[in-house]
Amino acid sequence: MTSPISVVFHSGYGHTREIAKAVAAGSGGVLLAIDEQGELAPEGWAQLDASRAIVFGSPTYMANVSWQFKRFADASSAVWARQGWKDKLAAGFTNSAGINGDKLTTLYTLFSLSQQHGMLWAGTAMPPSNTKAALRDDLNYLASFAGLMTATPSDASTDEMVAGDLATARAFGERIAQVVGRIG
Amino acid sequence: MTSPISVVFHSGYGHTREIAKAVAAGSGGVLLAIDEQGELAPEGWAQLDASRAIVFGSPTYMANVSWQFKRFADASSAVWARQGWKDKLAAGFTNSAGINGDKLTTLYTLFSLSQQHGMLWAGTAMPPSNTKAALRDDLNYLASFAGLMTATPSDASTDEMVAGDLATARAFGERIAQVVGRIG
Amino acid sequence: MTSPISVVFHSGYGHTREIAKAVAAGSGGVLLAIDEQGELAPEGWAQLDASRAIVFGSPTYMANVSWQFKRFADASSAVWARQGWKDKLAAGFTNSAGINGDKLTTLYTLFSLSQQHGMLWAGTAMPPSNTKAALRDDLNYLASFAGLMTATPSDASTDEMVAGDLATARAFGERIAQVVGRIG
Amino acid sequence: MTSPISVVFHSGYGHTREIAKAVAAGSGGVLLAIDEQGELAPEGWAQLDASRAIVFGSPTYMANVSWQFKRFADASSAVWARQGWKDKLAAGFTNSAGINGDKLTTLYTLFSLSQQHGMLWAGTAMPPSNTKAALRDDLNYLASFAGLMTATPSDASTDEMVAGDLATARAFGERIAQVVGRIG
């Protein structure tokens, strides 16, 4: 009696965790945290095996996923060897300080990981908010399609994250749940 | 009484067309050719609207899709404005002369186009053939995951394409049909 | 008695042209416009041949460079055949409406084109403005490294472009001129 | 009296180390190995500081650089904070079992890291060997431009690597030395 959706993420300073929580709230997914050594508990791996959808999340550090997230990805080679995630749905999100930065590179990394595993991929499917009247707190103000992007200033605490980003994260989670419902 | 799958492609010298035909044979999809000016006939656009899955194909020229394919992609902005391809399945393929070249960049371009449209994406889901015993005619010898890659020597005619690439293209088409069958 | 730097660009609605002008102002480069059919005049190609640095610019349309820019890139295959741009410096910029959008994909396309040509690449080398105190008009508020990104709201005229983006474009041009001065 | 070029790499099973050695032989560069925990000795970091060019190398594991390489990249954030690698030359290479795989994604990761650091980038500048007469041992048979790609079958020992790949690696090293000589 668990959720068919897992949200597996690494967070270095807690901001990506807040985004993960919002994605989990929107999707009804189970949160699985990769620890500071890049490890995921055996129960976490079992939960991923049992999931129909896996949402991957990582901060963007030095132009890509954190090394802890990558260590998790490398460890998933054992799953790949038995094609354990094949045909599951995948999606991804990332947070960093800069408005752009290399967040799209991070999303490509998450996408490419999913493709090696033979998973399907779902993005945000959200129109951007990009007119003169656009506000930072609008849904998908960051105008991302391949996955969820959020930006938290480098000196902001986890209490100071952008409300619109958290709302976008929740809407993204809802989107993932819809797709899971459809593809069974 | 048409297929739910469309294979829309540009081919400059006929090689990508052969791949497209193999993908269509495997998937049961309808072939839609973008012409040398980057135009697709109105009936083609209507077929795309009616499809449940769209497979995009282009040669890789100068590190990415051909300009004709990109002109088609740019014209799809009118479809995007009405969210006409949202929730359809997408996939992609590319052919070029070099064994690697920038084929993966081309696949990222096709993927990114699909994500702006709010589509789902399916890759090859095929293990690579990558041992010492691997042969050029093995399925997925090119070892591609995000989409189908094929390589045709720069001086090869359309009669001299690699048999294993054509077989991989057919298997890729079968994979797309399976996914369409599953997600309805 | 011309500049060693060329700024070759396509602009659909005039916004990318404004960015190109700012890059040219900062770098002392010559502006070369690709027309609405994706053509560059023969004098333009000759100027590129004579340049020591080429800055490529394109709007981001439907997740990548405009088809007109890609037509220019495809036409450069004739230059590639004679290795005409080998060892020149390259750089790139792009403008679109969304704050992120797929601008980084566009920059990867420009980079990959340069790499096929055997060129060197220089990015912005600018720290991002990404603290709580950051303002939209700060230098590199868009936090881009691989090349210059600018964002112009979808309903903004060329008179309503973001002043900070234009200033960043000028600074980017100055950076390119510095690098050209250094590498000779 | 050391070299101006550093070749910093991680190797999991020794194959990437052989490529690194060939790049170092061609470039006259100093080899710096990232260990199995993703650590580089302090002397290594000092050598990088003193270098005029840094060549980054990593295997491609699960669609991108190894986690050990990424840990090194993340640790370089301290260098970034003081802009310690700004204006140096960068280049990259990767090895994996599949002929394509996601090696280009790995090269994009290395490139993006360099761009955050404000470095210049040089690719292979080598024409591909892509005709019907092409042989696996030709220079740049893998047809890569943005950086060096090599492919070693999954069951090949370090004594069974492809001779043409090692020759290409040496030629790539020579190219880097040429560029360093030019840009001073």
Side-chain angles (χ1 to χ4, degrees):
Chain A
M1 191 60 190
T2 182
S3 170
I5 302 174
S6 291
V7 180
V8 62
F9 69 97
H10 172 252
S11 179
Y13 301 96
H15 305 89
T16 302
R17 179 182 302 270
E18 295 304 309
I19 302 298
K21 285 161 64 176
V23 172
S27 66
V30 174
L31 278 176
L32 298 173
I34 298 163
D35 73 18
E36 61 184 10
Q37 289 303 314
E39 308 272 8
L40 180 67
E43 307 89 307
W45 288 100
Q47 167 68 25
L48 292 175
D49 267 347
S51 299
R52 287 193 283 139
I54 302 175
V55 187
F56 300 109
S58 172
T60 295
Y61 289 161
M62 297 310 291
N64 217 312
V65 294
S66 66
W67 71 262
Q68 290 94 340
F69 184 90
K70 190 56 175 54
R71 190 172 190 180
F72 159 76
D74 287 5
S76 80
S77 62
V79 180
W80 178 60
R82 56 177 168 82
Q83 295 283 291
W85 292 349
K86 186 163 180 281
D87 292 330
K88 295 183 193 296
L89 182 71
F93 61 92
T94 189
N95 177 74
S96 70
I99 260 294
N100 271 268
D102 288 298
K103 283 193 278 277
L104 189 52
T105 305
T106 293
L107 292 181
Y108 279 153
T109 293
L110 302 178
F111 166 69
S112 295
L113 174 66
S114 80
Q115 296 303 289
Q116 179 161 351
H117 277 290
M119 305 171 83
L120 305 180
W121 182 270
T124 63
M126 287 184 213
S129 176
N130 63 13
T131 63
K132 287 188 283 185
L135 299 173
R136 180 66 182 89
D137 274 334
D138 288 346
L139 283 184
N140 205 19
Y141 174 79
L142 262 60
S144 182
F145 303 111
L148 173 70
M149 294 183 188
T150 59
T152 308
S154 58
D155 53 352
S157 72
T158 54
D159 292 335
E160 296 172 308
M161 297 180 67
V162 176
D165 280 359
L166 294 167
T168 304
R170 177 179 278 267
F172 178 62
E174 292 169 355
R175 163 73 183 168
I176 300 306
Q178 283 174 348
V179 176
V180 171
R182 176 181 163 215
I183 69 179
Chain B
M1 188 61 189
T2 183
S3 170
I5 301 174
S6 292
V7 180
V8 62
F9 70 98
H10 171 252
S11 179
Y13 301 96
H15 305 91
T16 303
R17 178 183 303 271
E18 295 305 309
I19 302 299
K21 286 162 63 177
V23 172
S27 65
V30 174
L31 278 175
L32 298 173
I34 298 163
D35 74 17
E36 62 184 9
Q37 289 303 314
E39 308 272 8
L40 180 68
E43 304 88 325
W45 288 100
Q47 167 67 26
L48 292 175
D49 267 348
S51 299
R52 287 193 282 139
I54 302 176
V55 187
F56 300 107
S58 172
T60 294
Y61 289 161
M62 298 309 292
N64 218 311
V65 295
S66 66
W67 71 262
Q68 291 94 341
F69 184 89
K70 191 55 175 56
R71 190 173 189 180
F72 158 76
D74 287 6
S76 80
S77 63
V79 180
W80 178 60
R82 57 176 168 82
Q83 295 282 290
W85 292 350
K86 186 163 180 279
D87 292 330
K88 295 183 193 296
L89 182 71
F93 61 92
T94 188
N95 177 74
S96 69
I99 268 286
N100 270 269
D102 288 299
K103 282 193 278 278
L104 189 52
T105 305
T106 294
L107 293 181
Y108 280 151
T109 294
L110 301 179
F111 165 68
S112 296
L113 174 66
S114 80
Q115 297 303 289
Q116 178 160 352
H117 278 291
M119 305 171 82
L120 305 179
W121 182 269
T124 63
M126 287 185 212
S129 176
N130 65 12
T131 64
K132 287 188 283 186
L135 298 174
R136 180 66 181 88
D137 274 334
D138 289 346
L139 284 185
N140 205 20
Y141 174 79
L142 262 59
S144 181
F145 304 111
L148 173 71
M149 294 184 187
T150 60
T152 308
S154 58
D155 53 351
S157 73
T158 54
D159 292 335
E160 295 173 309
M161 296 180 68
V162 177
D165 280 359
L166 293 168
T168 304
R170 177 179 278 268
F172 177 62
E174 292 168 356
R175 164 72 182 168
I176 300 305
Q178 283 174 349
V179 176
V180 170
R182 176 181 163 215
I183 69 179
Chain C
M1 189 60 189
T2 181
S3 170
I5 301 174
S6 292
V7 180
V8 62
F9 70 98
H10 172 252
S11 179
Y13 301 96
H15 305 91
T16 303
R17 179 183 303 272
E18 294 305 308
I19 302 299
K21 285 161 64 177
V23 173
S27 65
V30 174
L31 277 176
L32 298 172
I34 298 163
D35 74 17
E36 62 184 10
Q37 289 304 313
E39 308 272 8
L40 180 68
E43 305 81 30
W45 288 100
Q47 167 67 25
L48 292 175
D49 267 348
S51 299
R52 287 193 282 139
I54 302 176
V55 186
F56 301 108
S58 172
T60 294
Y61 290 162
M62 298 308 292
N64 218 311
V65 294
S66 65
W67 71 262
Q68 291 94 340
F69 184 90
K70 190 55 175 55
R71 190 173 190 181
F72 158 76
D74 288 5
S76 80
S77 62
V79 179
W80 179 60
R82 58 177 166 83
Q83 296 282 291
W85 292 349
K86 185 163 180 279
D87 292 329
K88 296 183 192 298
L89 182 71
F93 62 92
T94 189
N95 177 75
S96 69
I99 269 287
N100 270 268
D102 289 299
K103 282 194 278 277
L104 189 52
T105 305
T106 294
L107 292 181
Y108 279 152
T109 294
L110 302 178
F111 166 68
S112 296
L113 174 66
S114 80
Q115 296 304 288
Q116 178 160 352
H117 278 290
M119 305 170 83
L120 305 179
W121 182 269
T124 62
M126 287 184 211
S129 176
N130 64 13
T131 63
K132 287 188 283 185
L135 298 174
R136 180 68 182 90
D137 274 334
D138 288 346
L139 283 185
N140 205 19
Y141 174 79
L142 262 60
S144 182
F145 304 112
L148 172 70
M149 294 184 187
T150 60
T152 309
S154 58
D155 53 351
S157 72
T158 53
D159 292 334
E160 296 172 307
M161 296 180 68
V162 176
D165 280 358
L166 293 168
T168 304
R170 177 180 277 266
F172 178 63
E174 292 168 356
R175 163 72 182 169
I176 299 306
Q178 284 173 349
V179 176
V180 170
R182 176 182 163 214
I183 69 178
Chain D
M1 189 61 189
T2 182
S3 170
I5 301 175
S6 291
V7 180
V8 62
F9 69 98
H10 171 252
S11 180
Y13 301 96
H15 305 90
T16 303
R17 178 183 303 270
E18 294 304 308
I19 302 300
K21 286 161 63 177
V23 173
S27 65
V30 174
L31 278 176
L32 299 173
I34 299 163
D35 74 17
E36 61 183 11
Q37 290 303 315
E39 308 272 7
L40 180 68
E43 308 89 295
W45 288 101
Q47 167 67 25
L48 293 175
D49 267 348
S51 299
R52 286 192 283 138
I54 302 176
V55 187
F56 300 108
S58 171
T60 295
Y61 290 161
M62 299 308 293
N64 219 311
V65 294
S66 66
W67 72 261
Q68 290 94 341
F69 184 89
K70 190 55 174 57
R71 190 173 190 181
F72 159 76
D74 288 5
S76 79
S77 62
V79 180
W80 179 60
R82 56 177 167 81
Q83 295 283 290
W85 292 348
K86 185 163 181 281
D87 291 330
K88 295 183 192 297
L89 183 71
F93 62 91
T94 189
N95 177 74
S96 69
I99 266 288
N100 270 270
D102 288 299
K103 283 194 277 280
L104 190 51
T105 305
T106 294
L107 293 180
Y108 280 153
T109 294
L110 301 178
F111 165 67
S112 296
L113 173 66
S114 80
Q115 297 304 289
Q116 178 161 352
H117 278 290
M119 304 171 83
L120 304 180
W121 182 268
T124 64
M126 287 185 211
S129 176
N130 64 13
T131 64
K132 288 188 282 186
L135 298 173
R136 179 67 181 89
D137 274 334
D138 288 346
L139 284 184
N140 205 18
Y141 174 79
L142 262 60
S144 182
F145 303 111
L148 174 70
M149 294 184 188
T150 60
T152 308
S154 58
D155 53 352
S157 73
T158 53
D159 292 334
E160 295 172 309
M161 297 181 67
V162 177
D165 281 359
L166 293 168
T168 304
R170 177 179 279 266
F172 178 62
E174 292 168 356
R175 164 72 182 168
I176 300 305
Q178 283 174 349
V179 176
V180 171
R182 176 182 162 215
I183 68 179

